[in-house]
């Protein structure tokens, strides 16, 4: 098994890509702390997985929750080896002229600041033990301006920059940090979308129509397993695009 005995945190693990990652990692021998803001769905997801898992309700916009998440993994498992920052929310396709302050701030709190704080806390653990692995779930919207609204695109661009900087900074400290940029994937992230902006949706729809198909969460999980395992030991500070060839068009 590729992750035998590894201690892992997966955020946003109640459904979609996070759930699929937790399932696959547990099947590959990892012990997994699954976190999400949706506690009922999270418990059901954890209970359905064969293997050693634990779950914790975490709001990634809450700094205390994020700190407690890392502490809980170390307390339960004795250490932390892999952090998968998957939790995220969408905007409503608003262009910059229409984005309200509260939505901008909420997206950054969850998609970027929460990710940074989890990485910051985990890095302390990794530096002490001399090894660690961070996998950030970014988006093709993190290098394209045509896949979502201004807020979501900005948060995911920031996650990619954070990933590259972290991979470079700690490359000689035994810590790797990579990102996955999924294209369209069959998840319920749409539940986080409110007040859809018709103009923004129309503009983005021009490129959405070029996507060959929507991916399955299991396909993103397989990419995450590659980055989590020793198969990618010389891969660091990179962004792995997993979109079925969508962005190869432009």
């Amino acid at each position: 098994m590729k992750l035998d005995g590894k201690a892992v945190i997966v955020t946003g693990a109640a459904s979609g890509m996070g759930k699929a990652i937790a399932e696959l990692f547990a099947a590959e021998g990892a012990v997994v702390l699954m976190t999400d803001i949706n506690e009922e769905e999270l418990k059901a997801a954890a209970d359905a997985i064969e293997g050693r898992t634990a779950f914790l309700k975490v709001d990634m916009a809450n700094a205390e929750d994020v700190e407690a998440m890392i502490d809980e993994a170390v307390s339960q498992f004795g250490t932390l080896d892999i952090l998968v920052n998957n939790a995220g929310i969408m905007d409503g396709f608003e262009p910059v002229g229409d984005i309200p302050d509260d939505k901008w701030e909420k997206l950054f709190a969850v998609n970027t600041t929460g990710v940074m704080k989890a990485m910051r806390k985990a890095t302390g653990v990794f530096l002490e033990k001399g090894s660690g692995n961070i996998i950030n779930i970014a988006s093709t919207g993190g290098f394209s301006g045509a896949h979502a609204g201004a807020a979501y695109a900005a948060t995911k661009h920031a996650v990619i920059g954070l990933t590259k900087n972290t991979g470079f900074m700690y490359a000689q400290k035994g810590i790797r940090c990579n990102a996955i940029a999924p294209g369209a994937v069959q998840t319920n992230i749409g539940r986080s979308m409110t007040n859809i902006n018709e103009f923004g949706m129309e503009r983005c729809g021009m490129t959405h129509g070029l996507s060959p198909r929507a991916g399955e969460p299991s396909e993103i999980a397989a990419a995450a397993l590659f980055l989590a395992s020793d198969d990618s030991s010389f891969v660091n500070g990179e962004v792995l695009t997993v979109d079925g060839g969508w962005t190869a068009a432009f």
Side-chain angles (χ1 to χ4, degrees), residues 72-201:
E72 180 70 13
V74 174
S75 174
Q76 290 222 27
F77 305 145
T79 190
L80 178 64
D81 299 296
I82 302 166
L83 169 65
V84 182
N85 281 309
N86 167 74
I89 56 176
M90 273 287 288
D91 58 17
F93 289 92
E94 300 92 345
V96 72
D98 296 333
I99 184 74
D101 286 349
D102 59 346
K103 185 171 284 190
W104 176 270
E105 290 161 4
K106 179 66 172 179
L107 262 84
F108 265 92
V110 174
N111 291 1
T112 306
T113 305
V115 169
M116 179 279 290
K117 289 181 178 179
M119 293 172 66
R120 183 173 63 191
K121 179 81 170 181
T123 297
V125 178
F126 295 158
L127 287 172
E128 186 174 341
K129 66 185 294 184
S131 64
N133 193 338
I134 300 168
I135 301 168
N136 294 324
I137 306 301
S139 168
T140 53
F143 54 78
S144 168
H147 294 178
Y152 185 83
T155 64
K156 293 301 186 176
H157 274 72
V159 167
I160 286 177
L162 183 59
T163 298
K164 289 178 173 291
N165 180 266
T166 302
F168 170 76
M169 287 290 191
Y170 297 105
Q172 295 177 317
K173 300 292 185 179
I175 300 173
R176 293 194 294 124
C177 182
N178 294 289
I180 296 172
V185 180
Q186 298 280 7
T187 73
N188 62 7
I189 195 172
R191 292 192 308 188
S192 65
M193 297 172 63
T194 58
N195 300 320
I196 305 302
N197 186 283
E198 292 185 9
F199 170 72
M201 176 69 89

Side-chain angles (χ1 to χ4, degrees), residues 196-238:
I196 305 302
N197 186 283
E198 292 185 9
F199 170 72
M201 176 69 89
E202 181 182 358
R203 291 291 293 163
C204 290
M206 293 191 298
T207 58
H208 289 182
L210 298 175
S211 179
R213 66 174 176 88
E216 296 295 330
S218 60
E219 294 176 299
I220 307 304
L225 177 61
F226 167 69
L227 292 177
S229 74
D230 289 340
D231 290 345
S232 61
S233 59
F234 201 48
V235 180
N236 193 15
E238 291 299 321

